[in-house]
Amino acid sequence: MRRRRQRPIPPVSEQSSDAELLRAVAAGQTAALRLLHHRHAGWLRARLRRRCADPDVVDAAIQDTFVAVWKDAQRYEETSADPAAWLWTIAVRRLLSTLRGPAHRWLSGPADELPDVATVPSAEELVLLGVEHGALGPALDRLSPELRRLIEATALDGLSVREAAKLLGIPEGTAKTRLMRARTRLRELLT
């Protein structure tokens, strides 16, 4: 079997676009990952902190996000998602995984050393887990990708329509129309 020759990836710099950085990460350039982290970790951390008050959990989710980017950068498709939206999707999923993980459930040591106190998850944790495991998750999965991304950005991430439009790279009027269509479709799917 012959290997297909790939174009060489040019060196990356501060001026490289996110898409160029992701292509370079897929080619194994650690400098590109470093630049992506420098460019996006701050806002990812700030947005995840709105969803989880534990800074250690947020830091673990950020670290897991960039490990996933390193391993799976070749999965990014320029035509289907804005790089920032793609990173945010990974970060939210890593936060949920971290919240569900055993390290978050136990404070320390074996279970018999823990006091007999029931822990109650925060309202936000319940909503995030409900999206993943409740009726809303499958309903979101049935939306078209552009409608799903807009609902996730506005309803789940708490962005305004203007912010979501900018993040997704679409005009604000288009975002409003898609959001109206998405809400209508979700109502149909959930009733």
Side-chain angles (χ1 to χ4, degrees):
M1 176 187 270
R2 279 183 93 174
R3 284 189 175 181
R4 201 168 61 165
R5 292 186 107 184
Q6 293 182 341
R7 290 186 308 189
I9 302 295
V12 295
S13 70
E14 290 283 337
Q15 288 72 40
S16 298
S17 72
D18 289 343
E20 291 168 335
L21 292 175
L22 284 169
R23 282 194 300 273
V25 170
Q29 288 189 23
T30 56
L33 183 66
R34 194 172 302 114
L35 284 169
L36 269 176
H37 184 274
H38 179 72
R39 194 176 285 176
H40 293 283
W43 71 264
L44 286 170
R45 182 172 285 107
R47 288 181 64 190
L48 290 177
R49 285 295 306 257
R50 291 189 213 154
R51 282 140 193 84
C52 177
D54 186 339
D56 293 333
V57 171
V58 170
D59 287 343
I62 294 290
Q63 180 177 345
D64 290 349
T65 297
F66 285 96
V67 168
V69 168
W70 177 252
K71 289 179 178 178
D72 295 326
Q74 74 280 357
R75 288 183 166 186
Y76 171 71
E77 296 176 21
E78 259 182 87
T79 57
S80 66
D82 177 75
W86 188 71
L87 288 169
W88 175 244
T89 301
I90 294 169
V92 167
R93 289 183 177 156
R94 296 303 172 180
L95 177 66
L96 287 170
S97 295
T98 303
L99 289 172
R100 286 192 305 257
H104 188 68
R105 291 194 183 111
W106 303 110
L107 299 173
S108 63
D112 58 345
E113 294 177 12
L114 293 174
D116 189 19
V117 177
T119 58
V120 178
S122 72
E124 191 158 49
E125 287 173 337
L126 290 174
V127 169
L128 289 172
L129 291 171
V131 167
E132 194 77 12
H133 300 290
L136 185 57
L140 283 171
D141 289 340
R142 293 182 62 195
L143 291 176
S144 66
E146 72 260 0
L147 297 182
R148 183 177 54 248
R149 284 194 296 268
L150 196 54
I151 283 288
E152 289 171 346
T154 55
L156 299 180
D157 301 342
L159 297 179
S160 69
V161 175
R162 175 176 287 148
E163 293 168 329
K166 185 175 180 180
L167 178 70
L168 298 173
I170 59 175
E172 187 176 348
T174 302
K176 288 178 182 178
T177 302
R178 286 182 185 173
L179 189 56
M180 183 181 66
R181 284 181 29 225
R183 287 177 178 154
T184 301
R185 182 72 177 128
L186 276 176
R187 276 189 212 99
E188 292 169 358
L189 293 169
L190 292 171
T191 53

